[in-house]
Amino acid sequence: MAEIVQHRIEERIPELEQLERVGLFTKKEVKSIIKRATALEYKLHRLVVNKEDFIAYIQYEINVLELTKKRRAHIHYQFKREEIEFPVIHRINSVFRRATNKWKDDVQLWLSHVAFCKKWATKGQISKVFSAMLAIHPDKPALWIMAAKSELEDRSSSESARHLFLRTLRFHPDNKKVFQEYFRMELLHCEKLRKQKSELEKAEMDLGEYEFSPEILAGKLADVVYRDATAKIKEAEFVISLLNIAAIFDFTKELQDFILQDLQTNYTADSLTWDFMAKRELEAPGAGEELQTAKGRASDINRREERCCQVYEEGVKSLSAEPMWSCYATFCLERLKRKTNVEELKEKRQQRLLGVLQRAHDSSLLKEDYYKNWLLVLGASTAGVATAATRRYSQSAAMWSLSLRTLMQLGSGDVGGLFQEALAHVNPKESLPLWQLQVQWSAHLDDAYTVAMAIKESYLDWSYSTGGYKKARRNFTSLQENRPLSKAFFTRMIEIEKEQETPRMSSLRDYYERALQEFATSDDDLWLQYIQEELGPLGQPENCSKIHWRAMKFLEGPSVESFTSKYTLMQTGHL
């Protein structure tokens, strides 16, 4: 091992001599580099090597490169790169290769090598790195896409990029992202050729030796990709994504028209098609003079929105399904949220939204989420909608909570019975919001009420605020017999006891002991609070040692260490 390390250090001598000779590093610094490099080399040649050692070696070499670059800029010396930087870059690439050969599954290590190659202008090495990486990780489409983009952007090779995309599709024939990026690449290539042709024509150069195929310049390669993609992936959302990519380029009108026609012909069974076609009407140009005034602009916007709604109306006639109505309602809601100072437009948008929501509800095709918006828009006249919403989604805790809250605000007399109906329909595990809402509602009433176990502390608070200490203690005794119980339930009763003019220590001990029956094994803070209570003016300090012994006996896992640390801090007065 020593011989190998010595050989590698000797290989560095020419570059280090150059660094010292040209004044980039001092003799002392060169010695320091040799010492540090020797130590790092020994780590790489041990019988058992760590990935961290390779990373540390690479990072050190990169730091030397960065420092060399700064020194060059400082002394304005730009020569002998072949003798100085190139050997370092070659060495780093070699170490990266050794690391990735040993830890083939570490994608981040591969990508770090790619990033190094890009930064230090070793573009010829990038293709080799990607090729080796893809041989190990052919199942990751993102890496294929990254490699193809690198060929196009870093090496300006559309042929290599196309070849990589075609290879990718052999492994991932139905991957949407691969097709989208392949489609984009062909359009970028076409745009690049068109710019080259335009520049040559401006320079009045003879185009004879250059081949600019009219079909390629017209985007026919992208057209081929589109046809292949849509033959395998028949989804409106995917077609729309390709159309949006094509719309970025100003030479694709013919291609866009073809895609649009395909969308309207073959994908009308998808609500996204109708949604997309409807929203396109917003982009239609407006009348010139009319747009000069706020009222004129509002009138123009209203006409566009009406055209959108006409398309949506065709959609719900052709495809009366929940997703179609959701698209229509979402559009109307988005338009209503847009700010305008013209009241007529605002009222028109609101009427349009309410009409769509009502018709969707009548068809039993309105999603749960839209009832909330409906209730908010309607304002005071919401009782009927609130009741209808709970009938439609009788098992939804969120729907019941929203409807009950609305009816409470309206002062409806049916709220009490509806709470019971809601709890009968909703899954008990999801009923906590309903119980919490019932607490709020019951707090304004004079009669007693039953509260879910999950919020017993809220019921305890209500008992104390309405009936005083005796009622709170009576309800505490009753409720603590039934699980589940929360720590807050016990601590609230302890707080109530301590708020009395003459709190009784016997009662406090009773509450702590009851709480410890539930949380003795896991809650170290509860034991500490008990000890602090005995150290207080009402307690007996001699009981602390017994409580400490019990805590150490009952606590389990990390709670033991936490308790010991906090107890020590408490004894020293730091807690």
Side-chain angles (χ1 to χ4, degrees), residues 269-403:
D270 195 316
S271 60
L272 291 178
T273 299
W274 293 99
D275 188 46
F276 178 78
M277 296 303 301
K279 289 178 179 177
R280 279 176 63 87
E281 296 297 328
L282 288 175
E283 302 169 6
E289 294 182 1
E290 190 181 40
L291 300 179
Q292 300 302 315
T293 64
K295 195 168 183 180
R297 287 192 293 272
S299 177
D300 178 64
I301 291 171
N302 184 55
R303 276 198 296 271
R304 296 187 194 189
E305 291 177 358
E306 287 292 344
R307 290 198 295 270
C308 293
C309 290
Q310 288 174 9
V311 179
Y312 279 117
E313 289 294 338
E314 291 180 26
V316 295
K317 287 179 184 177
S318 173
L319 188 66
S320 186
E322 188 178 274
M324 187 68 248
W325 282 106
S326 295
C327 290
Y328 196 177
T330 299
F331 169 78
C332 294
L333 185 61
E334 288 173 351
R335 300 311 295 180
L336 179 63
K337 289 179 179 178
R338 294 181 71 87
K339 293 182 179 180
T340 178
N341 294 323
V342 180
E343 288 298 323
E344 293 178 6
L345 179 59
K346 191 182 297 183
E347 291 176 5
K348 184 68 177 176
R349 287 171 171 171
Q350 182 170 316
Q351 291 172 4
R352 191 183 293 135
L353 173 63
L354 292 176
V356 171
L357 293 173
Q358 183 65 58
R359 289 165 58 201
H361 169 72
D362 293 342
S363 302
S364 298
L365 295 172
L366 184 62
K367 283 183 68 175
E368 179 182 342
D369 297 344
Y370 293 98
Y371 281 97
K372 179 179 181 180
N373 301 114
W374 197 359
L375 293 172
L376 291 174
V377 172
L378 278 174
S381 57
T382 56
V385 175
T387 304
T390 55
R391 297 290 180 270
R392 172 114 171 83
Y393 294 98
S394 60
Q395 295 182 340
S396 170
M399 196 73 263
W400 275 106
S401 181
L402 175 64
S403 299

Side-chain angles (χ1 to χ4, degrees), residues 469-527:
Y469 173 79
K470 289 184 178 181
K471 184 175 182 179
R473 181 175 172 80
R474 185 170 62 250
N475 286 331
F476 169 81
T477 304
S478 174
L479 291 171
Q480 63 93 31
E481 296 296 331
N482 300 304
R483 291 178 175 80
L485 300 167
S486 67
K487 179 183 174 181
F489 173 68
F490 294 101
T491 54
R492 180 60 188 132
M493 193 61 220
I494 291 170
E495 291 171 2
I496 291 172
E497 181 68 44
K498 292 169 74 172
E499 288 173 6
Q500 306 311 304
E501 289 185 10
T502 55
R504 290 179 295 178
M505 190 63 197
S506 59
S507 296
L508 290 173
R509 289 193 184 101
D510 178 51
Y511 302 144
Y512 275 111
E513 291 296 337
R514 290 174 186 268
L516 287 171
Q517 288 177 15
E518 305 294 328
F519 308 104
T521 59
S522 60
D523 198 318
D524 52 291
D525 286 334
L526 188 61
W527 287 102

